Amino acid sequence: MWEKVTSLSNMLLKVICFFFCALIAPNFTGEDALLPAPQNISILSTNMKHFLSWSPVIIQGETVRYSVEFQGEYERDYADESWIPICECSLTTATVCNITEDISATVAYNLRVRADTGTRRSEWGTLKGFFNRITTSLTPPLMKVIADGYHLLVELEDMGPAFQFCVLYWKKGQESRQKVVKKVSSVIHLDTMEAGPDYCVKAQTYVEAINRSSSFSQTQCMRAQGGTSMRLPTALLISAGFAMAALTLLFITWKTSKILQYSCCPVAVLPDTLKVSEPPTQLILCGSEEDEQCDLMVHVIPSEEVLRLWIQETL
């Protein structure tokens, strides 16, 4: 009898313990065993740069870290639906992850995020639907139109190696004759402008990997810096330069001729003592010292002849 009572008591105690454990088990599972999974997972993709973001998991007194994984078409179809961790976003405290380098193909991707405190972790929070980089938002490039004299240049924003540029330009009033330039470089020489009219430019980006283009940028117009108003001063300056050069050449020629004249054919200056004020001049011509008498000869000699005779006597 006593044994039956003891057995019933043990059974009753086990039943009470079972119900008690069943009552408190959900509390331990929800608070101690698992963290809440990240919510509001979304992607912002612009100009082939992709960022996954989510709402933070708040746990008082603990630092929550996050890990991100992706699954591409190959992993789904040929690798047993495996997931690839993104190393740059493994156990990070940030709530945004740059997944650009990992989204390297134009296929549908799955993405998921998990929270972790070191001792506990959450279930995976998964992005709703697939992400394909073909849906990225493309914007027109920042553009600066430059007039370098009569040369029309355009400087475009460097957006990375995946981007090419399509540039349209035309002479204002001739929109029907637009020209297209497709370049990879960010600085492009478009044309040599005529003086007077404005030239207008607009550009768009193109990504060959996804075969898509952006919209066109706002149109910018520019006029040649060497316009008609600048031609007259330039012509005057050139003419003045030629005139100064001609005058300088004439002066140098005249000065050189004078120097050569005085060097090769000097002018003899008559001394004051030989200058004769009266036209007739009398000279007494004598023979040698042995002659005792001299004949008095009177000649009327011009002053030039007097100078010549004086020079001969001096020599």
Side-chain angles (χ1 to χ4, degrees), residues 32 48 123 224 226 267 297:
D32 297 333
M48 300 296 287
E123 296 287 349
V267 178
M297 300 180 65

Side-chain angles (χ1 to χ4, degrees), residues 214-225:
S214 71
S215 59
F216 277 97
S217 63
Q218 291 185 350
T219 301
Q220 297 184 30
C221 297
M222 186 67 63
R223 180 174 298 181
Q225 291 183 351

Side-chain angles (χ1 to χ4, degrees), residues 196-302:
D198 289 339
Y199 285 75
C200 299
V201 183
K202 63 181 180 179
Q204 68 177 171
T205 56
Y206 171 73
V207 181
E208 185 177 4
I210 60 176
N211 193 26
R212 282 186 55 213
S213 300
S214 71
S215 59
F216 277 97
S217 63
Q218 291 185 350
T219 301
Q220 297 184 30
C221 297
M222 186 67 63
R223 180 174 298 181
Q225 291 183 351
T228 306
S229 60
M230 298 182 66
R231 285 186 173 181
L232 183 58
T234 303
L236 291 176
L237 287 175
I238 293 174
S239 300
F242 276 116
M244 290 295 295
L247 291 174
T248 303
L249 182 61
L250 288 175
F251 176 77
I252 292 174
T253 303
W254 175 78
K255 195 69 176 176
T256 303
S257 65
K258 288 296 183 182
I259 294 174
L260 292 175
Q261 178 182 353
Y262 286 118
S263 299
C264 301
C265 305
V267 178
V269 180
L270 185 66
D272 294 336
T273 56
L274 297 179
K275 291 181 180 179
V276 179
S277 58
E278 297 179 358
T281 305
Q282 294 181 352
L283 290 180
I284 299 176
L285 301 178
C286 299
S288 61
E289 296 179 355
E290 297 177 355
D291 296 336
E292 295 179 354
Q293 295 181 350
C294 294
D295 296 330
L296 179 63
M297 300 180 65
V298 179
H299 299 276
V300 177
I301 303 174

Side-chain angles (χ1 to χ4, degrees), residues 41-43 50-54 65-72 75 82-94 96-104 109-114 124 127 131:
I41 302 172
S42 62
I43 285 184
H50 322 300
F51 296 89
L52 184 73
S53 63
W54 56 91
R65 300 180 183 274
Y66 307 94
S67 297
V68 179
E69 294 182 351
F70 72 91
Q71 183 187 74
E75 288 77 24
S82 60
W83 290 81
I84 308 298
I86 297 178
C87 298
E88 294 80 3
C89 303
S90 179
L91 295 178
T92 177
T93 57
V96 62
C97 174
N98 186 350
I99 61 174
T100 303
E101 297 298 326
D102 299 276
I103 306 301
S104 56
Y109 284 86
N110 282 329
L111 292 137
R112 64 183 187 180
V113 187
R114 182 175 63 189
W124 289 100
L127 177 71
F131 170 71

